[in-house]
Amino acid sequence: MTSIIPSPNMNHLWARLLVEELYRNGVYGFCISPGSRSTPLALAVSRQKEIVHHIHVDERGMGFYALNWAKALGKPVALICTSGTAVANYLPSVVEASLSRVPLIILTADRPPELLQCGANQAIEQADIFGNYVRWSFTLPCPDSAITPTVVLTTAGHAIYQACRAPAGPVHINCMFREPLEPIEIEGDIPQDYTQPIDNWLSNKKPFTRWNLPEHRLTTEQEIFVLDKIETVREGLLIIGELRKEQEIKAAYNLAQSLHWPVFPDVTSGLRLGNKTDFSVPYYDQMLLLPEFSEKFNPKFILHIGGTITSKRLLEFLEKKRPEYMLVTDHPLRTDPIHRVTYRFETDLSSFASWLAPAMRRRDVYPWGLETIQWSQKLEQVIDTWAEKQEELNEITVARYISQWKPAETDLFLGNSMPIRDADMYGSINGTGGLVFANRGASGIDGTIASSAGFSFARKRMVTAVIGDLSALHDLNSISLLSSEGVKVILIIINNDGGGIFSFLPISAYPETFERYFGVPHGYNFGNVAKMFGIDYSIVQTPNELKKTYQSALKKGVSKIIEVSTNRPENLKLHKELQHQIKKELLKLIQKSN
């Protein structure tokens, strides 16, 4: 491709080769944080007009933006930063990408070897900085005419392969550069015949190395085994974990309709806040609060499709019951926190569910678990009645109302700690469905605003994000991303003046230390921050105010911050009050059935 050559010097030639080969291998998005040492890489991206790129001064936020951009696309996105602590700021997003199996290509500029470990400015040990959290790492030496340009191209190609093959994840290419970094002409720096080994590559637009990813499908013997197991099951339970693609959600829905087993859908499954099956048990977490239900409900076989689940109570229930447990995922990583999985299959989730559903429709149906499904439907009414009595907003009603009011053409991003738990426990099954994303690999509170922005840009649609106040404070710089072109996020910040989730933990019984070390009240609101970044802002107190403000923001189609103030002690009290009503109603239903 003639746009790569002529280059002013060897630094810029290598940078252009690297960026071009990544692009030819499907990396169409780049995220750049400004810096000097990364000048050749940044300018190489700017010269490739087909590449979509974003610039953000905060490497930590940029990392999470790229993470959710790549996660939503299902394709790798590249990150570029300068040397020094800029690299270290990528670590939280690299950890999340590794545990969430999201392909990221991390390009870090570095000082040359003679400037390491000698007190030179902005020089740290970068080569293995991400440790075991990257699938592969490699340091490219300073560009040198003694090294064939094919080394650059094959490095890029191998990075893509390692990032995209299962388990997908981040890879790190550390790029050393000597000065000059700017695009000045250096006579004789690039020998006349230097690019001859890549003449064929330069004359077309194809990758130098064409990697072919392996496909994961069950063998005939494995299919027979699965059918033999499931066809003989009477008391079965279908658990649907995280799903990231619409086709996976559709296939899982069809399988649920065919199995006729009770379905426990996680909030990130796409089947919890809408897409209701005839067998959905959305309030399983709250039902498990009642010992009488846990005693009565005895599944003998679990089919778990997709990622991990949010409910700790469900994990504890399964650990105690010890049913046969078949886990079907699309990666080889160990995802068995309670150490109960007895059959493990790695395969494409859509293909597995689409293959199994027709076979299940042909078998005899054993009507087990119908009471559980009906009881969950009754609890829908209990929660609705309770919510209607709340004159002021609280954390439960925000989760419930947003799940009901969110239009089908928007997606949902949930912050960790209480927002995702409240949506999982109390969100309405009668919502509109759609993708629900959360950073559940490491379940941290960092990068949530940037994550919602990257999610919105990738999906080209409005995203409603519900996060806590500490998460928002953790990622204030990323509010600037909400006004970026192509980003539309309605950011709902639940401000309970501290760490609300700690009120639910045993440490809250020690008031002499709780507030200072765990509650950490801060006294801030987000109005002036929104003003500084030029983002529309409202604070609401009642359900009607939230509905009016939320629907107005949806209609305008631009980013907005909606703040909801809640009280931490009152929030704990309200959760206990609703849970008491749920247990009371469920006990009544169980006693009636006996």
Side-chain angles (χ1 to χ4, degrees), residues 134-198:
V134 289
R135 302 293 184 258
W136 180 70
S137 63
F138 185 77
T139 293
L140 277 172
C142 296
D144 190 328
S145 61
I147 301 174
T148 173
T150 58
V151 170
V152 182
L153 301 183
T154 60
T155 298
H158 190 67
I160 292 292
Y161 180 71
Q162 292 291 344
C164 295
R165 65 169 300 181
V171 298
H172 178 205
I173 304 178
N174 192 47
C175 306
M176 289 185 162
F177 293 109
R178 291 190 177 94
E179 295 182 355
L181 304 170
E182 61 273 19
I184 62 173
E185 296 283 347
I186 302 178
E187 187 174 351
D189 195 37
I190 304 174
Q192 189 172 1
D193 61 349
Y194 180 70
T195 60
Q196 186 176 354
I198 59 171

Side-chain angles (χ1 to χ4, degrees), residues 362-422:
R362 295 192 293 268
R363 85 193 199 291
D364 293 334
V365 175
Y366 181 73
W368 177 80
L370 296 181
E371 283 183 328
T372 299
I373 297 165
Q374 292 165 359
W375 294 340
S376 183
Q377 293 168 354
K378 290 286 186 181
L379 296 185
E380 178 88 18
Q381 300 168 14
V382 172
I383 299 171
D384 269 338
T385 301
W386 182 89
E388 289 167 2
K389 293 179 180 178
Q390 308 303 308
E391 295 181 0
E392 292 193 348
L393 285 169
N394 56 64
E395 299 183 27
I396 295 171
T397 53
V398 169
R400 187 153 186 87
Y401 289 140
I402 291 302
S403 68
Q404 293 171 336
W405 298 338
K406 184 188 74 65
E409 62 273 13
T410 68
D411 293 319
L412 184 63
F413 182 89
L414 296 171
N416 286 314
S417 294
M418 288 309 297
I420 190 168
R421 288 175 171 85
D422 282 328

Side-chain angles (χ1 to χ4, degrees), residues 240-274:
I240 305 178
E242 180 193 30
L243 301 175
R244 300 178 183 175
K245 303 173 184 176
E246 278 96 347
Q247 60 265 37
E248 291 176 349
I249 296 171
K250 183 178 179 181
Y253 174 90
N254 291 334
L255 176 58
Q257 292 292 83
S258 302
L259 270 176
H260 290 255
W261 293 355
V263 178
F264 285 12
D266 185 78
V267 69
T268 59
S269 69
L271 296 167
R272 170 63 185 82
L273 307 178

Side-chain angles (χ1 to χ4, degrees), residues 184-452:
I184 62 173
E185 296 283 347
I186 302 178
E187 187 174 351
D189 195 37
I190 304 174
Q192 189 172 1
D193 61 349
Y194 180 70
T195 60
Q196 186 176 354
I198 59 171
D199 279 348
N200 289 337
W201 180 83
L202 289 167
S203 65
N204 61 60
K205 296 183 179 181
K206 296 178 181 179
F208 185 81
T209 305
R210 302 171 197 178
W211 290 95
N212 295 290
L213 296 173
E215 289 192 8
H216 295 279
R217 298 287 190 274
L218 298 189
T219 64
T220 302
E221 291 76 11
Q222 289 171 334
E223 289 181 348
I224 293 170
F225 178 85
V226 170
L227 289 175
D228 285 346
K229 273 291 173 187
I230 294 181
E231 283 178 337
T232 59
V233 171
R234 285 177 169 258
E235 294 93 357
L237 171 64
L238 175 61
I239 295 175
I240 305 178
E242 180 193 30
L243 301 175
R244 300 178 183 175
K245 303 173 184 176
E246 278 96 347
Q247 60 265 37
E248 291 176 349
I249 296 171
K250 183 178 179 181
Y253 174 90
N254 291 334
L255 176 58
Q257 292 292 83
S258 302
L259 270 176
H260 290 255
W261 293 355
V263 178
F264 285 12
D266 185 78
V267 69
T268 59
S269 69
L271 296 167
R272 170 63 185 82
L273 307 178
N275 296 318
K276 177 174 66 176
T277 75
D278 295 336
F279 309 95
S280 292
V281 184
Y283 303 109
Y284 59 87
D285 177 275
Q286 297 296 278
M287 296 170 78
L288 291 170
L289 284 165
L290 187 69
E292 288 83 353
F293 174 76
S294 296
E295 187 94 13
K296 187 178 181 66
F297 186 65
N298 289 297
K300 299 298 190 298
F301 189 94
I302 305 295
L303 175 60
H304 178 166
I305 294 177
T308 54
I309 52 181
T310 304
S311 172
K312 183 179 179 181
R313 263 184 286 272
L314 177 55
L315 290 175
E316 291 172 343
F317 170 79
L318 295 174
E319 187 174 18
K320 181 180 178 181
K321 292 290 183 176
R322 301 189 179 189
E324 286 191 278
Y325 197 133
M326 182 180 289
L327 175 63
V328 182
T329 65
D330 57 1
H331 62 85
L333 296 181
R334 185 183 185 189
T335 49
D336 183 17
I338 58 173
H339 306 286
R340 287 291 182 265
V341 170
T342 46
Y343 311 105
R344 173 70 151 71
F345 294 95
E346 179 187 350
T347 185
D348 179 79
L349 299 179
S350 298
S351 299
F352 177 85
S354 298
W355 157 76
L356 186 57
M360 293 300 97
R361 286 195 289 267
R362 295 192 293 268
R363 85 193 199 291
D364 293 334
V365 175
Y366 181 73
W368 177 80
L370 296 181
E371 283 183 328
T372 299
I373 297 165
Q374 292 165 359
W375 294 340
S376 183
Q377 293 168 354
K378 290 286 186 181
L379 296 185
E380 178 88 18
Q381 300 168 14
V382 172
I383 299 171
D384 269 338
T385 301
W386 182 89
E388 289 167 2
K389 293 179 180 178
Q390 308 303 308
E391 295 181 0
E392 292 193 348
L393 285 169
N394 56 64
E395 299 183 27
I396 295 171
T397 53
V398 169
R400 187 153 186 87
Y401 289 140
I402 291 302
S403 68
Q404 293 171 336
W405 298 338
K406 184 188 74 65
E409 62 273 13
T410 68
D411 293 319
L412 184 63
F413 182 89
L414 296 171
N416 286 314
S417 294
M418 288 309 297
I420 190 168
R421 288 175 171 85
D422 282 328
D424 193 47
M425 294 186 295
Y426 305 116
S428 176
I429 190 67
N430 296 315
T432 56
L435 293 186
V436 179
F437 270 25
N439 292 334
R440 296 299 288 174
S443 298
I445 65 168
D446 34 8
T448 51
I449 297 173
S451 294
S452 65

